[in-house]
Amino acid sequence: MIHTPALIVHGGAWDILDEAVEDHKRGCSNAVAAGWRVLAAGGSALDAVTAAVVVMEDDPTFDAGRGSFLNADAEVELDASIMRGSDLKAGAVAAVRRLRHPIQLARLVMEGSEHVLLVGRGAEKFASSRGIKFCRTRDLLVGRELQRYQALRSRKDFHVREVFEKQPRGTVGAVAFDNSGSLAAATSTGGTPQKMPGRVGDSPIIGAGTFADNESGAALSTGWGESILRVLLAKTACDFLKEHNDANRAAKEAIQVLEKRVAGKGGVILIDRFGGVGLAFNTPRMAYALRQGEKIFKIGI
Ligand code: GLY
């Protein structure tokens, strides 16, 4: 049976400033276009989400790859993960440096190692062994982030929660459903500004940042990682899908859990096992774009 493909991407759930809205819309739209080219040609959901996330890692609008936040040591440490719903295979990397496309390394972990998650130096060693080229930290850094680092470094009262209420930008991710009825999800992030070196958020943690299971659905989280981790937001959203097969309702219920149980802030995008697309967020804005078949294309913020 041939299924109608579906794809949704997000560019983070934050208080996206009015002046950044157009860049977010354009970035999400470009990512959907890249992923859709794969799906329209009969490619896999896994290839589609990889292609979409690579585009967003290259776009300095987003907190992923180039354009990521600096940590407290003025270093860029990146997290990413990817999961396939047909066999629950997954790969992830955390706290890796000097990589333009951490999502490609996460995929290599999934397809080229016996592990699910590699971190820091070990992940970088694995990347070298597979011929992945490293860049310089300054290739990932944009002036906006250097200025943010300098402004936040001198502040004693800074708490990361305010980032999700008062500042622009966020994690990126894509969820896809291909014409064979298979699901995949992928996410990539520079984490949070001024994070401690070695801090790992939800994004590379399977079940928290990313989850895909052809028997329920595939979901991604974005937002304040320390809250998302504690409610395994992506898996929680997929569990709700098992109860009622309503993608928007499942996303909304997952965000209610995030808010009520841990006073968390963030968003969820997901696709159910029939190709139904849903999303929800409790931040002021979340940037997203979606496509379902030939007729439905939507960009939102
Ligand atoms: N959600 C991204 C992070 O907290 O690292």
Side-chain angles (χ1 to χ4, degrees):
M1 177 179 173
I2 303 285
H3 297 264
T4 302
L7 176 68
I8 180 167
V9 308
H10 76 76
W14 317 68
D15 182 11
I16 298 166
L17 300 176
D18 289 343
E19 54 265 36
V21 163
E22 281 315 310
D23 283 346
H24 279 73
K25 285 184 172 173
R26 180 191 36 74
C28 288
S29 172
N30 289 342
V32 161
W36 194 258
R37 272 194 292 277
V38 175
L39 293 175
S44 69
L46 195 71
D47 285 342
V49 294
T50 307
V53 170
V54 162
V55 165
M56 297 177 103
E57 287 176 332
D58 278 333
D59 187 334
T61 304
F62 304 112
D63 174 33
R66 183 160 172 266
S68 290
F69 291 129
L70 287 165
N71 70 12
D73 280 356
E75 183 61 75
V76 176
E77 286 187 341
L78 304 163
D79 303 336
S81 65
I82 189 161
M83 186 165 185
R84 181 164 62 200
S86 56
D87 55 5
L88 306 185
K89 283 208 76 158
V93 292
V96 293
R97 296 162 305 157
R98 293 178 290 112
L99 286 178
R100 286 182 192 273
H101 297 121
I103 196 63
Q104 290 175 336
L105 184 58
R107 185 158 171 183
L108 260 185
V109 172
M110 173 180 140
E111 295 180 329
S113 86
E114 61 186 50
H115 303 301
V116 170
L117 172 62
L118 292 178
V119 307
R121 203 164 43 86
E124 290 163 11
K125 195 171 163 192
F126 177 66
S128 293
S129 76
R130 297 306 166 111
I132 290 191
K133 295 264 181 299
F134 286 83
C135 61
R136 299 163 300 183
T137 297
R138 69 170 186 263
D139 297 327
L140 301 173
L141 182 62
V142 293
R144 175 196 63 217
E145 287 317 315
L146 190 57
Q147 284 159 17
R148 190 194 310 276
Y149 172 81
Q150 285 160 346
L152 293 181
R153 191 174 49 161
S154 55
R155 273 189 52 194
K156 296 268 182 290
D157 61 339
F158 172 66
H159 189 279
V160 73
R161 194 175 199 277
E162 81 177 54
V163 172
F164 298 91
E165 291 165 336
K166 294 188 189 155
Q167 294 183 31
R169 301 181 39 258
T171 303
V172 305
V175 182
F177 178 75
D178 62 32
N179 68 11
S180 73
S182 203
L183 290 156
T187 192
S188 182
T189 187
T192 50
Q194 288 292 316
K195 65 184 181 181
M196 288 172 66
R199 177 266 189 191
V200 173
D202 58 297
S203 300
I205 305 302
I206 301 304
T210 301
F211 193 71
D213 180 353
N214 283 4
E215 292 186 7
S216 55
L220 290 181
S221 311
T222 176
W224 181 22
E226 278 71 10
S227 60
I228 292 167
L229 277 164
R230 290 187 285 149
V231 295
L232 291 175
L233 190 61
K235 174 72 163 62
T236 296
C238 290
D239 287 347
F240 282 125
L241 279 176
K242 279 187 177 162
E243 286 176 19
H244 49 59
N245 283 323
D246 179 332
N248 272 317
R249 189 173 148 198
K252 204 167 154 194
E253 287 169 341
I255 291 298
Q256 281 167 355
V257 171
L258 179 73
E259 189 161 309
K260 286 192 182 140
R261 298 301 308 279
V262 294
K265 287 277 170 196
V268 170
I269 59 171
L270 56 81
I271 302 183
D272 68 28
R273 67 185 192 276
F274 307 110
V277 179
L279 63 96
F281 51 98
N282 67 349
T283 47
R285 282 171 162 166
M286 179 171 79
Y288 67 92
L290 64 89
R291 184 149 182 185
Q292 284 176 283
E294 290 307 319
K295 295 208 175 93
I296 302 175
F297 178 60
K298 189 172 170 196
I299 305 178
I301 201 147

